Amino acid sequence: MTSMLTHAIRNLPASSAWAARVFARSLSCSSQLQAAAVQPKSKKTLAKSGVKNIVVVEGVRIPFLQSGTSYADLMPHDLARAALQGLLNRTSVPRDVVDYIVYGTVIQEVKTSNVAREAALGAGFSDKTPAHTVTMACISSNQAMTTGVGLIAAGQCDVVVAGGVELMSDVPIRHSRKMRKTMLTLNRAKTLGQKLSLISKIRPDYFAPELPAVAEFSTSETMGHSADRLAAAFAISRLEQDEYALRSHTLAKKAQEGGLLLDVVPFKVPGKKTVTKDNGVRPSSMEQMGKLKPAFVKPFGTVTAANSSFLTDGASAVLLMSEEKALAMGYKPKAYLRDFVYVSQDPKDQLLLGPTYATPKVLEKAGLTMADIDVFEFHEAFAGQILANLKAMDSDWFAQNYMGRKSKVGAPPLEKFNTWGGSLSLGHPFGATGCRLVITAAHRLKKEGGQYGLVAACAAGGQGHAMIVELYPQ
C-alpha cells in the first residue's frame, strides 16, 4: 500500500506548479489581516426545523506555552481550572447555571484521571455539577464540544462547558511491566520470606523506565515518522514545508501583535509572573530553518523541529447553550455550531489525512460547497501533514482511488486558510486545540464579514473531525 501510494502520488501532474500556486497565494494572506472587514455575504442559515439551535457564547484559552516553561511545575487540572475561571470571568455566567462539564485530554495524569471533575471543583463549580473527561487524541476537545452539543440537542442540558487540556511538561513515566508486576505481588506478600524471595528476583533491567512517546500503539510509529512518510508519499518537499511553517509563524505574529487573538486570557502562575501570550510564535528565516537536521527519518527526512508543531502546555474552554437559553440570559452568542462528522482511516498510511476525508462529508451533510466557506481553520500537526491534506483534497485520483468519490472536493484557498496562524506557531496542547479552532473561526467570521467557517483536524489512530460554524446574526 505504501509503495503504491507513494508512486502514484509522486506522479500526480503539476506538483511543482501546485506548490508555486499555493505559496504565491500565501504571500497575499498578510494583507488580508489589514483589511477592516470583507463585504458581508448574504446566505441562508443552516437552521433546521425541529432541531435546537446550539450556540457558542464564548470561548477562551490560557496562553499556549512550549513545554518546560512557565507551566512546568503545575498539574493538568491547574491549567484546566485557569481556563474555566477565565471563562467565568469573561462571561459572568453563574456557576450553578452550568448543567454539565466535559473536558478532553490525551496523556492523563493518573492522580486526576477525570481532570474535568477536579478542574471544575477547583474553579468553584458545585459538587452537584456532573463532569467527565473524554479522549480522542488531537480531537479530544472537539469530542468534548460535540458531546456538549449532543446533551443540549437531546434536551438533557441547556448549558454545557466544554474544553480541553494538556500538560506535556510532566507526563507519566512508569516502571517496566516486570517491575510493576513484582511490586504489586510484593504488596500482597504476607511473610518476610515471601517478600525477600520476590526482591531476590529483581534484575537491573527491571529499573529501566517506560518513557511515553507520541506514537501509534497499533504501528509503534511516531507521529513525526508518519508525517515524514506522508510528505514523501505526496511529494511535499522540505522547502515547501519550511515555507508553510514560516507562513504560519508570520501570520500568528501579526495576529498576536494586532490584538486578534481574543480568546487568550491571562494566567497568573503561582510563584511566577502572569502569562499573557503564547510563547511559541517565533518567525525565523528560510536560511535558519534550512540549517536544521531531520528530526525523525534520518538523514534524508524532511520533517524538522521548525516545520512541526511543538510540545505544548495549555487549556481551553467554551460556553455552549441552546439559543433560547442564551437569549433568555441576555447573551449575544458568537456562532452556531452546526453539522459535524467524525471519520476514521488506516492508522498507518493515512494516519494524518482526517481533514481530507471529513471535509467533503461535513459539506455534504450541511448542503454546502467549498465555495460557500468563508474561513477555514485546520489543525496543523506538521507542515507536511497539512500540505499533504491540501494536495489530497485537490486530487481527483486520490478521491476516486481512496475515498470512493467521483471527483475531488478541492483545496481551500489559502487566502481563507489559517490566516491568524495555526498549531505550528500558536502551539498544540493535544487535548485543547479543537476549542481554539472553533472560537478562532467564530472571531474570524465576525472580523472578516463571512457566514460559514469550516473547522477540521486530524488525530492519532487515523481519525479526524470536521464541523461547520455559522456566524450568529450581528
Side-chain angles (χ1 to χ4, degrees), residues 195-269:
K195 292 179 180 180
L196 291 175
S197 176
L198 286 168
I199 292 173
S200 69
K201 296 178 181 179
I202 296 176
R203 298 292 179 264
D205 65 310
Y206 282 28
F207 292 94
E210 289 184 358
L211 300 175
V214 184
E216 284 294 298
F217 180 80
S218 59
T219 65
S220 298
E221 189 174 68
T222 66
M223 293 277 284
H225 192 271
S226 298
D228 228 325
R229 286 198 305 102
L230 188 66
F234 281 85
I236 308 297
S237 70
R238 164 75 179 270
L239 178 64
E240 291 172 87
Q241 293 175 61
D242 286 352
E243 285 180 325
Y244 184 86
L246 180 58
R247 171 189 185 268
S248 183
H249 280 273
T250 301
L251 293 176
K253 184 69 172 179
K254 196 173 186 67
Q256 192 177 64
E257 293 178 346
L260 300 179
L261 305 182
L262 301 175
D263 56 334
V264 178
V265 293
F267 177 24
K268 176 61 176 72
V269 180

Side-chain angles (χ1 to χ4, degrees), residues 224-471:
H225 192 271
S226 298
D228 228 325
R229 286 198 305 102
L230 188 66
F234 281 85
I236 308 297
S237 70
R238 164 75 179 270
L239 178 64
E240 291 172 87
Q241 293 175 61
D242 286 352
E243 285 180 325
Y244 184 86
L246 180 58
R247 171 189 185 268
S248 183
H249 280 273
T250 301
L251 293 176
K253 184 69 172 179
K254 196 173 186 67
Q256 192 177 64
E257 293 178 346
L260 300 179
L261 305 182
L262 301 175
D263 56 334
V264 178
V265 293
F267 177 24
K268 176 61 176 72
V269 180
K272 297 182 181 180
K273 294 181 179 179
T274 299
V275 180
T276 60
K277 65 179 182 179
D278 310 314
N279 71 357
V281 181
R282 299 177 180 178
S284 182
S285 68
M286 291 297 294
E287 181 182 6
Q288 290 298 319
M289 294 170 72
K291 293 179 181 179
L292 296 183
K293 295 181 179 180
F296 301 99
V297 180
K298 303 174 182 180
F300 302 115
T302 57
V303 174
T304 71
N307 57 41
S308 307
S309 58
F310 47 87
L311 295 179
T312 314
D313 300 334
S316 56
V318 296
L319 179 60
L320 308 178
M321 294 186 184
S322 63
E323 181 182 22
E324 182 181 11
K325 182 69 172 182
L327 296 179
M329 293 186 66
Y331 287 110
K332 179 65 177 294
K334 290 185 177 293
Y336 295 106
L337 298 185
R338 297 301 193 188
D339 293 285
F340 62 87
V341 299
Y342 288 93
V343 295
S344 189
Q345 298 79 236
D346 169 21
K348 183 173 177 62
D349 293 323
Q350 301 185 56
L351 176 70
L352 303 172
L353 289 176
T356 296
Y357 284 85
T359 295
K361 288 187 176 182
V362 80
L363 288 173
E364 289 168 3
K365 191 173 182 182
L368 300 175
T369 67
M370 290 289 278
D372 293 317
I373 304 301
D374 302 298
V375 304
F376 294 86
E377 283 293 325
F378 279 31
H379 165 44
E380 302 168 347
F382 302 87
Q385 163 262 331
I386 201 70
L387 292 175
N389 273 274
L390 296 182
K391 196 167 185 179
M393 293 169 71
D394 209 27
S395 166
D396 284 321
W397 181 90
F398 189 86
Q400 293 162 5
N401 287 273
Y402 285 92
M403 300 176 67
R405 301 178 58 84
K406 294 181 179 179
S407 61
K408 64 187 180 184
V409 66
L414 283 201
E415 59 269 19
K416 298 180 179 180
F417 190 85
N418 290 12
T419 57
W420 293 1
S423 305
L424 291 172
S425 48
L426 298 171
H428 174 38
F430 300 144
T433 290
C435 290
R436 179 190 68 77
L437 297 173
V438 165
I439 201 63
T440 299
H443 286 155
R444 283 185 56 201
L445 286 171
K446 182 177 180 180
K447 176 72 173 178
E448 298 168 14
Q451 184 168 346
Y452 300 135
L454 195 157
V455 169
C458 63
Q463 302 188 99
H465 171 258
M467 175 186 281
I468 300 295
V469 177
E470 180 182 344
L471 181 69

